[in-house]
Amino acid sequence: MFTGRAWRVVRFGAPEQAVELQETTWDAPSAGQVLIRVRAAGAGLPDALMTAGQFPLLGEPPFGLGEEAAGEVVAVPSGSRFSVGDQVTGITAFLEGWGGYADYAYLLEGSAIRIPEGMTDEEAAGFPIGFRTAYTCLVDRAPVEAGQTLLILGAAGSSGATAIQLGKALGATVIAVAGGQEKVEFCLKNGADHGIDHRAEDLTARIAELTDGRGVDVVYDPVGGDIAATAMRSLTRGGRIVVMGLASGAPVELDAMELLMRNQTAVGVLSLPLDDPQAEAAVWEHLADLAARGAIRTPTGAVHDFADVPRMIAQQGAPAAGKTVVRVATA
């Protein structure tokens, strides 16, 4: 048994009132999990949704927060492919109430990988969710092929920024859309071929200019709302829109007749583990290999202290550029 601190939602509401730091105990991990001593944990908009009671996959409090974490393995079940002392990152058992904003965390073994050499704790902590989601979108559900053009909305956010890197690794030309020149510059430094400030530029006209009037093959949409509807007007005949979020507060409104007449596809994505464990393991091996070769790297943004978790969650409705990370402990 291990004892330590954990930030937990004890009631729904504003983070400062809803989240408490509690002393918690962790038993030995059950089959399919490993227990780690956490050094860093990835953050994101779901934290705010969970705290407010708006996350559909969780029930009533109490429960832990933090969907992904990185650290050192301290306990494993019989038959695990990991050993005590391994340095790993992965998705936490947050759907069972155990999060990563804690001294210890259960990781789902099927999602865990050994941290590639040269990857920092902050990069490791922010790696699993963003890249697994981007993989589901751009490889499994709406495959992007080399030479195609990928338009990414909300491209400076944690979902969009990982999609930039994976899109480039897949050989696509990437157009990043963000709000504000500072975020556009972040996207360009993160590997995007082109950047568009939707607050200052005509999105449709700029896409036409960048693509010589052809349009884009895939729209990656974690934002929804009016901007996604506008982006749809630049989708090629036979193109695809990946609907995987609604950061604007509302999903994109789709015109079924337009989809029919232009032979387009709208693909919904909720990134969950594949039913086939071997196929799921192959996904993580591919992502780990890309990371080890330097083809993808977590676009880390703000790094918060462990004591700042409630304040950090309150800021996730309007996050800064890059992947937000919580530093829990030093190596």
Side-chain angles (χ1 to χ4, degrees), residues 44-210:
L45 180 59
D47 294 323
L49 299 178
M50 293 176 194
T51 304
Q54 298 172 351
F55 193 79
L57 301 179
L58 281 174
E60 294 294 314
F63 52 79
L65 286 168
E67 296 177 283
E68 53 194 336
E72 179 177 337
V73 175
V74 295
V76 298
S78 176
S80 174
R81 60 190 175 91
F82 294 104
S83 302
V84 172
D86 284 347
Q87 310 301 309
V88 301
T89 183
I91 297 173
T92 68
F94 71 96
L95 290 178
E96 299 172 29
W98 298 95
Y101 303 149
D103 288 319
Y104 298 91
Y106 296 111
L107 299 187
L108 305 181
E109 183 168 338
S111 77
I113 61 171
R114 291 175 175 84
I115 298 173
E117 185 176 353
M119 184 181 284
T120 68
D121 289 338
E122 288 81 6
E123 290 170 340
F127 184 87
I129 294 287
F131 281 111
R132 183 63 181 91
T133 300
Y135 193 99
T136 301
C137 293
L138 302 180
V139 178
D140 293 338
R141 298 285 287 136
V144 172
E145 300 175 7
Q148 292 188 329
T149 301
L150 168 65
L151 181 78
I152 300 176
L153 303 178
S158 58
S159 295
T162 50
I164 290 174
Q165 297 220 355
L166 186 59
K168 290 302 300 175
L170 295 171
T173 296
V174 174
I175 302 174
V177 180
Q181 191 57 38
E182 183 178 345
K183 289 186 176 181
V184 169
E185 291 297 328
F186 173 86
C187 294
L188 294 173
K189 290 179 181 178
N190 191 40
D193 296 286
H194 309 285
I196 302 176
D197 178 359
H198 68 82
R199 295 176 182 171
E201 302 177 81
D202 183 308
L203 183 60
T204 303
R206 185 70 175 125
I207 293 171
E209 178 185 352
L210 292 172

Side-chain angles (χ1 to χ4, degrees), residues 15-16 304-305 307-316:
E16 292 82 354
H304 291 262
D305 292 335
D308 290 339
V309 164
R311 184 173 63 88
M312 177 277 296
I313 295 172
Q315 297 173 356
Q316 292 309 300

Side-chain angles (χ1 to χ4, degrees), residues 234-251:
S234 298
L235 198 58
T236 61
R237 182 175 298 278
R240 293 92 70 200
I241 180 170
V242 182
V243 181
M244 49 77 63
L246 57 156
S248 68

